[in-house]
Amino acid sequence: QVQLVESGGGLVQAGGSLRLSCAASGSILSINVMGWYRQASGKQRELVATISSDGSTYHADSVKGRFAISRDNAKNTVGLQMNSLKPEDTAVYYCAARRFGSLGFGFWGQGTQVTVSS
């Protein structure tokens, strides 16, 4: 079992920055990929970024060049640095984890609200 807890959300003005953090606990050695999703009100959940155990990363086109995912293995955390924030980035952001051999992300945090004002 893996537990994920997000933190760092809040209210920020357009053009500002925010850093999210996700703390993982439990059977963390079984995790292959960690990622960040977001879901805006009335919209479908959207993949934002992922980072694999080998350090490779993926960023959605909508955030590429503005957001950066990272991991700290010593602290068992994954971060999401968000720069040049736009109102359309407003959403609940979720941390997720995928086990080795799993087809999808099976573990989720509770979510943290990010609101970007214009």
Side-chain angles (χ1 to χ4, degrees), residues 49-92:
T50 64
I51 185 164
S52 300
S53 58
D54 64 359
S56 61
T57 62
Y58 161 85
H59 296 83
D61 289 342
S62 59
V63 306
K64 194 171 297 182
R66 299 188 299 118
F67 292 9
I69 191 171
S70 62
R71 65 190 298 166
D72 186 334
N73 292 328
K75 297 182 178 180
N76 301 128
T77 60
V78 61
L80 184 68
Q81 180 65 47
M82 304 184 293
N83 298 324
S84 301
L85 283 162
K86 305 174 181 179
E88 50 263 44
D89 295 320
T90 296
V92 177

Side-chain angles (χ1 to χ4, degrees), residues 15-36:
S17 298
L18 208 59
R19 184 174 179 83
L20 306 183
S21 182
C22 173
S25 61
S27 187
I28 56 177
L29 293 179
S30 67
I31 297 174
N32 183 21
V33 180
M34 295 190 69
W36 288 96

Side-chain angles (χ1 to χ4, degrees), residues 93-116:
Y93 284 71
Y94 297 92
C95 180
R98 179 167 66 84
R99 290 183 178 273
F100 286 95
S102 177
L103 296 178
F105 289 89
F107 304 96
W108 297 84
Q110 82 286 355
T112 185
Q113 176 71 47
V114 172
T115 302
V116 184

